[in-house]
Amino acid sequence: MKILVTGGAGFIGSHTVIELLGAGYEPVILDNFSNSNRSVLAGLRQILGHDVPFYEADCNDPEALNAIFEKENFGGAIHFAAHKAVGESVAKPLMYYRNNLDSTLLLLETMQQHGVPNLVFSSSCTVYGQPEHLPVTEDTPRLPAQSPYGNTKAICEDIIRDAVYAKAPIKSIALRYFNPIGAHPSGLIGELPLGVPGNLVPFITQTAAGLREKLTVFGNDYNTPDGTCVRDFIHVVDLAKAHVQALRLLDSREETSYYDIFNVGTGHGNTVLEVIKTFEEVNQLKLNYSIGPRRPGDVEKIYAQVDKVNNVMGWRAEKTLAESLQDAWRWEQNLQKQKTSVSE
C-alpha cells in the first residue's frame, strides 16, 4: 500500500518513512523544504540502499496536490507538514494558522476526491495546555492552548473529527505526540533545525558541538522537582513506529468513517535539568548552560498516560532517555563531520 507522507523529509517524517518500508508499506514523500533539508533524502538513501519516491511541493498548493494523487494510487496519508515552533508561533500567529489549517483542509478534500480512506494526523500534547491533573489521558479536557501552534493542532483535530462525524469516507487517528528527541541509530538522519533551534535537545547538541556559546534554561522557578519544566521525552524511532501501528489499526477497521486519538509518549516525565545532566553523563562531556527567564508559551509540566496506545494499538516506547541522547549526539557529530568535509 502506498502512503503519502507529507513533510516526509522532516525529523519525524523521515524516521517514519524508514519504519513504513520495514513494515511493508510504500511511502511517497511530499515536502517543500520550508523546515527541512534535501540532505535528508541522501541520508535515507544511505540507510535504505535506494531512493524513496519524492515530490517537491507545498501542501497548500491544490493543483500540485491533486496531480500527485492522480499519479499515485494511495491507500492512506500521514500528515506531518506544518509549522511547529512554539516560540515562533507566538510571534507569528497568522502564519501558523494559515499554513497549518489550510494544508489540513486541502489534504482532507483531496483525499475525499480521490477515495483515499486512511489518515494519520500529527497532533501534539500541546492541545492539553497546562493540565490540572497528571498524567494526561485521552479524556483529559483540552484546555486553552498556551501557543498558536498548540491551537492549530487542536483546531485540525476538530476539523478531522467533524469531517468523520459528517460521514466523510475517512478513517483517521490523531497521534498526540509528547516530546520527540533522538535520531536514527546510524547517525545518518536526525533533527535538523533551520537557524537557532526551538527545541531543547538540538540546542544541547549544538552547544556541545561548539555551534552555540551557551544553552539557556528557560526558568527554574516552576513547581517541579528542580524548578525546570517537565516533559515526556520520546525517542523518534519509537514515535515513528507508532505511525505504522496507527495505519494497521485503520486498515483493520471495517467502518468507512472512524476517528480516534492516542497519546504517544513514554508515560513519565523528566525535567530540563535531568535531560542536561543525563546528556553530560552518557556522552562524557560538560555543557555550558545558565538559567534564564521563563519563555512565553511554555507549559510547566506534562507527561502521558499511555495505557490506551499500549492496549489498543499494541505499541509502547522501548528506548530510554539515555539512548535518545546518545543517538542525538552521534547525529550531531556526524553532521559536523559532513560540514567539515564539504568545506575542505
Side-chain angles (χ1 to χ4, degrees), residues 39-40 42-48 183-190 330-331 334 338:
S39 62
V40 174
L44 287 171
R45 186 188 310 117
Q46 284 184 269
I47 293 168
L48 299 167
H184 193 267
S186 66
L188 294 171
I189 60 171
R330 184 183 303 110
W331 155 245
N334 195 34
Q338 292 174 23

Side-chain angles (χ1 to χ4, degrees), residues 84-101:
K84 62 178 186 177
V86 168
E88 183 183 54
S89 78
V90 174
K92 301 178 180 179
L94 298 185
M95 181 179 81
Y96 270 68
Y97 285 115
R98 173 68 70 187
N99 182 75
N100 293 4
L101 302 188

Side-chain angles (χ1 to χ4, degrees), residues 195-224:
V196 179
N199 294 332
L200 173 63
V201 171
F203 213 114
I204 286 175
T205 60
Q206 288 191 10
T207 302
L211 299 179
R212 307 289 164 192
E213 180 183 353
K214 183 175 66 175
L215 168 69
T216 299
V217 176
F218 297 113
N220 68 342
D221 57 350
Y222 290 101
N223 182 26
T224 62

